[in-house]
């Protein structure tokens, strides 16, 4: 839910700055970082292992804990959609915000359902 909330804030910021010259849109990267952490566990099990004898050595097949994965904002410097250097498409951003709102509502409904199940189990 935190990632969805951050995506909403970033999308709202993009939409608010859709006419500002040279403004570059941002996105939130979370899923690929989570996949990287989960894949690191598999690579560590089956990959080639090296021993680090010094803290300055570069670790190979280091396991990243998926619980430590944080979302990060990524600026899109590569594209330009308008003549003023801005790369925000207001319609696309509005559509993304609507999708994010719907995802957040579904997530809150799921959390409420889970807590309702816990309350029901505790009452019996």
């Amino acid at each position: 839910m935190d990632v969805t909330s951050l995506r909403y804030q970033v999308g709202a910021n993009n939409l608010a700055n859709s006419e500002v010259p040279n403004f570059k849109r941002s996105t939130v990267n979370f899923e690929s970082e989570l996949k990287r952490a989960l894949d690191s566990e598999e690579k560590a099990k089956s990959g080639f292992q090296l021993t680090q004898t010094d803290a300055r050595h570069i670790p190979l097949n280091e396991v990243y804990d998926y619980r430590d994965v944080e979302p990060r904002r990524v600026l899109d410097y590569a594209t330009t959609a308008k003549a003023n250097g801005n790369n925000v498409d207001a319609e696309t951003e509005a559509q993304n915000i609507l999708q994010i709102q719907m995802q957040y509502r579904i997530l809150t409904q799921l959390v409420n359902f889970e807590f309702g199940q816990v309350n029901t189990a505790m009452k019996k």
Side-chain angles (χ1 to χ4, degrees), residues 91-109:
E91 288 181 23
T92 303
E93 291 299 327
Q95 201 171 31
N96 288 342
I97 289 173
L98 182 61
Q99 182 181 6
I100 291 166
Q101 286 175 336
M102 290 172 26
Q103 287 174 349
Y104 193 82
R105 284 183 188 165
I106 289 171
L107 287 172
T108 56
Q109 288 174 358

Side-chain angles (χ1 to χ4, degrees), residues 38-53:
L38 294 174
D39 288 347
S40 74
E41 294 175 3
E42 292 298 320
K43 285 182 183 178
K45 291 177 187 173
S46 63
F48 183 70
Q49 297 296 322
L50 294 178
T51 303
Q52 282 183 276
T53 57

